[in-house]
Amino acid sequence: MPVSNSVSPAPRVSTNVIARALMQLAARLPLAVLHASGTALGWAIYALSPRYRKHLRENLDAAGYRDAATRRAAIAEAGKMITELPALWLLPHAEVAALVREVQGWELVEAARAAGRGIVFLTPHLGSFEISALYTTVQIPMTILYRPPKIAWIEPFMRAGRERPNVTLATPDLRGVRKLLDALKRRETIGILPDQVPGQGEGEWAEFFGRPAYTMSLANKLAARDDAVCLIAFAERLPAGAGYALSVRPFPAPLPGESETRTLNRAIEALIRERPQQYLWGYNRYKTPARVAQASADRGAGVSGSRGAR
């Protein structure tokens, strides 16, 4: 009987297995090391992606940040946002929450809960928006609006990192909105990234740093409920990987004649102006979603003749 000399192929190792192993190794590195490597990664992305570089520079310029120092810091902070994810997603929940070294405004959360009201927590793409929710859910339940990533292999890690005790994920569809409403009816907390570009029929044009931006309307609709309090928060990255400082603020009242979506964008602008280096300026915030009519500057102003302070 002839004997085959062929060699059996080595078993294939899936991308998910390799990625998980690398992320688990990275998760155990000190935060200072992760943030240092993030600085290098941020500059690599900036150098290699003309589209990202264009968005970052245009968005900074439109907001009045034309100095090189702010631009350099924003490039580095965007990289840190990526390299800190293994630690935030894979370390034990309590260990992640302990990375928050300072908290301001938590009494607003306690007051809302004591009054028996739900909380609409808005966390824009500023600082570490991931750890804002992770810190909060160590203490109270939260239902978080969750949009699956475009890169499929990332989703298992994202879900694993966000599906912690006290966390319920809600997809951006009718079923997810019902989850958010049910949570508020139970006087619980919901979390939303308010500066994500929504899909057709889910937003309206409103001024954001002087330019029309298609802005979600869901956050305002939920925040307008009588049984809920709206708060806006961000977690600043502290220098040298020292951790994070969480700040919670009341949502501002609208100005006379101001649209709800413009009030939302004005609140986000105010936070960004405190730490402009840590906003995700490379995000294509001003894109026109599919099947949505292009806005003129007048249609997107939100307040006639109003412009954000520069």
Side-chain angles (χ1 to χ4, degrees):
M1 186 174 182
V3 178
S4 173
N5 291 325
S6 63
V7 178
S8 300
R12 297 179 62 184
V13 180
S14 72
T15 302
N16 282 3
V17 172
I18 296 172
R20 174 167 280 278
L22 292 175
M23 290 185 71
Q24 286 175 333
L25 288 173
R28 289 297 171 183
L29 293 174
L31 189 60
V33 174
L34 293 176
H35 282 175
S37 62
T39 297
L41 178 62
W43 278 100
I45 295 172
Y46 181 80
L48 297 173
S49 175
R51 178 180 295 182
Y52 171 77
R53 187 165 60 249
K54 177 175 180 289
H55 289 153
L56 185 143
R57 294 181 73 102
E58 285 182 349
N59 293 344
L60 278 167
D61 184 75
Y65 298 107
R66 302 179 181 92
D67 60 293
T70 300
R71 183 173 66 252
R72 288 195 296 265
I75 292 167
E77 292 295 331
K80 294 176 187 179
M81 181 199 70
I82 298 172
T83 56
E84 70 192 4
L85 290 177
L88 302 186
W89 284 351
L90 298 179
L91 290 180
H93 199 175
E95 196 171 330
V96 174
L99 292 172
V100 177
R101 312 300 190 189
E102 306 170 17
V103 181
Q104 294 182 348
W106 192 256
E107 66 274 7
L108 299 172
V109 176
E110 294 175 341
R113 287 173 56 79
R117 303 178 73 183
I119 301 172
V120 179
F121 231 114
L122 304 180
T123 53
H125 290 89
L126 178 65
S128 179
F129 46 91
E130 292 282 345
I131 203 168
S132 298
L134 291 168
Y135 176 85
T136 301
T137 52
V138 163
Q139 305 179 61
I140 57 177
M142 178 183 282
T143 301
I144 300 172
L145 190 64
Y146 163 82
R147 179 174 295 176
K150 294 181 179 179
I151 303 174
W153 67 265
I154 294 178
E155 184 172 11
F157 306 108
M158 182 180 287
R159 292 191 69 92
R162 293 178 175 177
E163 286 183 325
R164 306 285 190 133
N166 271 351
V167 177
T168 301
L169 298 182
T171 49
D173 51 28
L174 184 58
R175 183 179 180 184
V177 172
R178 285 173 178 163
K179 283 187 177 181
L180 297 175
L181 290 170
D182 288 343
L184 290 178
K185 288 176 183 176
R186 296 192 299 269
R187 307 299 193 264
E188 293 179 356
T189 301
I190 64 171
I192 297 176
L193 277 168
D195 53 346
Q196 280 191 322
V197 178
Q200 181 192 28
E202 299 171 352
E204 60 184 50
W205 293 101
E207 178 190 333
F208 184 62
F209 284 117
R211 298 170 62 190
Y214 197 62
T215 303
M216 71 159 58
S217 53
L218 176 62
N220 293 87
K221 291 177 181 177
L222 294 173
R225 293 171 57 96
D226 292 336
D227 57 356
V229 172
C230 187
L231 303 174
I232 188 164
F234 78 104
E236 176 190 358
R237 293 184 193 91
L238 298 176
Y244 305 89
L246 178 64
S247 181
V248 182
R249 312 286 174 77
F251 190 74
L255 299 176
E258 187 175 57
S259 70
E260 291 182 343
T261 46
R262 173 56 195 150
T263 303
L264 173 61
N265 284 346
R266 179 167 56 84
I268 297 170
E269 288 171 358
L271 278 190
I272 293 170
R273 292 193 188 285
E274 295 185 31
R275 294 293 182 273
Q277 304 87 349
Q278 296 198 15
Y279 188 62
L280 193 62
W281 294 105
Y283 178 57
N284 190 7
R285 180 67 186 87
Y286 299 101
K287 68 181 178 182
T288 301
R291 299 182 299 279
V292 172
Q294 183 83 35
S296 67
D298 290 339
R299 285 178 57 202
V303 179
S304 177
S306 170
R307 290 286 178 188
R310 296 295 177 91

